[in-house]
Amino acid sequence: FFALKFTSLQMAEESDHLTLRELASARPRPVHIGAAVWPSHIYEEPDTFGAILPKEFNSITLEAHHKWKDLLADERNGGVYNYETADRTVEYAMHHQMEVKGHVLCWPEHMPEFTRKMAKSKLREALLDHINQTMRHYLGKVSSWDVVNEAFRTDGTGRETSSILSKHFGLDYVADAFHAAHQADPNCKLLYNDCTILSAGYPKSNAVYKMVSNLVKNAVPINGIGCQGHINAASEGEWGPPKSQGLKATLRQYGKLGLTVNVSEMDVRTSELPKSKISQRDSIQAMVYGNLLSTCLAEPNFTGLTTWGVTDKHSWINDFFGADRPLLFDENYEKKPAYYAVANSLGHTEQNGIKSVFKSLKNKFR
């Protein structure tokens, strides 16, 4: 803990004026550093949330407003879309020269209500129409899409979901979705996204890898993998902090398939750690963020990291699991040790060391 705290303070002292966005962009191989957002927070808190977002991050993902049923004016009727909120956020990102990562075109467990009793042929038609319409609406504005999210159960068994898509098609809908997405926008990066797949060797991560390998083998147009990164610092196994060896194995096995990897939805829960001071829990959290990002940055097919939110104040974790501190900024928008751990990882390169990166940044951003 003390070693980490010293590193964080040292980093803060030397790079106070360097943001995560600047550090990510100045790397020899730039990466994205992104945040998932709920659009209302941008406009309701312009001096905090709205100020930090474009300063610290170069990429935006909408937490909900690009999902199929959230784009519909009424999820009981698939014919009418309402893009207004999502469009406003995409325009905001473009104004601030931020990349937009689309999330998500097909989430089997969260299908719109109108699809739930559809016949097989009609269901496939509805899914492909949705992908085509949404991607064409954002043609040239969204750089990558999570085409399919969580085709496998979250229970670690490696089994498919019990969704209506799985019931009718097994996993065949995954390839269909990627083909439709590529046809709608051939220049967009197309990703498969899932949770608990950061470390190779578990039943679920093995099942995902097998499916993706088959997609590549059959020339399905897939460009990369999103490993979500919802981590419980008090857990072990799939939900706990990934060990470097397992994480490297994940990036390298997908690299051999010619695919990129991004950490797409990172947050680190600490409330279940043994009762201790907040500062101690924050230090453990910082090590998780820093170790994960440093390991990933060493691999050439790693493209970036997105935290699932900006501030602890608005994290989904608080509603789903109970009060916690999972993100880089606390409830008062103060930078936490995890922020400095991420900055430290972004600012360091194996070839030149952290000092040379700071030097080049000071020249660039004078």
Side-chain angles (χ1 to χ4, degrees):
F1 297 155
F2 294 113
L4 180 71
K5 189 178 289 187
F6 176 75
T7 302
S8 299
L9 291 172
Q10 194 175 43
M11 177 74 184
E13 186 178 324
E14 186 160 10
S15 62
D16 246 0
H17 66 301
L18 301 177
T19 66
L20 301 181
R21 179 173 183 163
E22 291 166 345
L23 288 164
S25 299
R27 290 185 61 80
R29 183 175 53 81
V31 294
H32 70 256
I33 184 75
V37 302
W38 203 266
S40 59
H41 299 148
I42 298 172
Y43 311 110
E44 292 172 1
E45 301 178 57
D47 297 329
T48 49
F49 195 104
I52 288 172
L53 181 62
K55 179 182 178 182
E56 295 287 350
F57 300 97
N58 60 18
S59 174
I60 282 180
T61 303
L62 285 161
E63 280 197 48
H65 291 80
H66 271 154
K67 294 170 183 172
W68 189 356
K69 65 181 184 178
D70 292 276
L71 283 173
L72 296 174
D74 183 347
E75 70 167 298
R76 295 167 298 182
N77 177 8
V80 182
Y81 282 72
N82 180 0
Y83 292 105
E84 183 179 353
T85 300
D87 283 356
R88 187 182 182 192
T89 312
V90 170
E91 289 165 7
Y92 170 92
M94 294 176 69
H95 175 75
H96 290 283
Q97 298 180 307
M98 303 173 78
E99 172 189 349
V100 178
K101 292 179 78 262
H103 177 81
V104 51
L105 294 169
C106 173
W107 189 358
E109 294 279 31
H110 291 263
M111 298 285 283
E113 186 176 331
F114 84 95
T115 66
R116 293 173 191 167
K117 294 183 179 179
M118 276 186 151
K120 182 176 180 179
S121 61
K122 291 292 184 181
L123 178 61
R124 183 179 185 276
E125 181 181 340
L127 173 62
L128 301 188
D129 283 349
H130 163 67
I131 292 172
N132 180 65
Q133 178 169 332
T134 302
M135 289 200 68
R136 288 188 180 278
H137 181 84
Y138 289 108
L139 192 68
K141 296 179 179 180
V142 174
S143 60
S144 65
W145 273 101
D146 292 334
V147 178
V148 178
N149 182 59
E150 296 179 5
F152 296 87
R153 300 184 189 186
T154 59
D155 61 6
T157 60
R159 296 198 302 269
E160 299 166 28
T161 67
S162 56
S163 69
I164 186 172
L165 287 172
S166 296
K167 176 183 175 182
H168 283 311
F169 305 107
L171 287 173
D172 289 347
Y173 71 90
V174 177
D176 288 345
F178 276 93
H179 281 298
H182 180 68
Q183 186 172 6
D185 185 355
N187 296 316
C188 190
K189 301 298 184 185
L190 306 180
L191 313 173
Y192 175 77
N193 193 61
D194 215 325
C195 62
T196 64
I197 60 169
L198 281 167
S199 292
Y202 291 100
K204 181 174 178 180
S205 55
N206 288 343
V208 170
Y209 177 73
K210 180 180 178 181
M211 178 193 73
V212 171
S213 297
N214 286 331
L215 293 177
V216 172
K217 179 181 178 181
N218 292 308
V220 174
I222 179 173
N223 301 109
I225 304 297
C227 301
Q228 290 182 10
H230 296 299
I231 294 170
N232 183 351
S235 293
E236 296 183 358
E238 295 166 292
W239 289 102
K243 293 180 171 62
S244 293
Q245 185 176 0
L247 184 55
K248 286 179 185 177
T250 296
L251 275 95
R252 290 175 183 178
Q253 68 182 5
Y254 287 116
K256 289 177 181 177
L257 295 178
L259 303 178
T260 64
V261 175
N262 75 94
V263 178
S264 57
E265 306 183 20
M266 191 167 181
D267 42 43
V268 180
R269 294 159 54 200
T270 60
S271 63
E272 294 179 22
L273 287 168
K275 297 300 181 183
S276 56
K277 295 180 180 179
I278 287 177
S279 61
Q280 292 175 317
R281 294 199 296 270
D282 281 356
S283 291
I284 294 171
Q285 180 186 69
M287 284 191 284
V288 175
Y289 271 102
N291 290 342
L292 181 145
L293 184 54
S294 292
T295 300
C296 289
L297 285 168
E299 301 302 322
N301 62 322
F302 177 69
T303 58
L305 180 149
T306 295
T307 56
W308 207 244
V310 173
T311 165
D312 294 338
K313 177 180 179 181
H314 296 308
S315 172
W316 73 287
I317 294 290
N318 299 322
D319 294 326
F320 201 84
F321 292 103
D324 215 311
R325 294 166 53 83
L327 295 167
L328 307 184
F329 293 85
D330 70 13
E331 64 276 9
N332 297 314
Y333 292 94
E334 296 295 328
K335 298 171 184 175
K336 294 162 60 182
Y339 172 95
Y340 294 109
V342 169
N344 187 48
S345 295
L346 288 172
H348 182 268
T349 62
E350 290 296 326
Q351 293 82 4
N352 303 317
I354 196 165
K355 296 284 188 183
S356 64
V357 176
F358 286 146
K359 184 176 179 181
S360 66
L361 280 165
K362 286 175 181 176
N363 292 332
K364 181 175 180 180
F365 299 111
R366 269 180 209 275

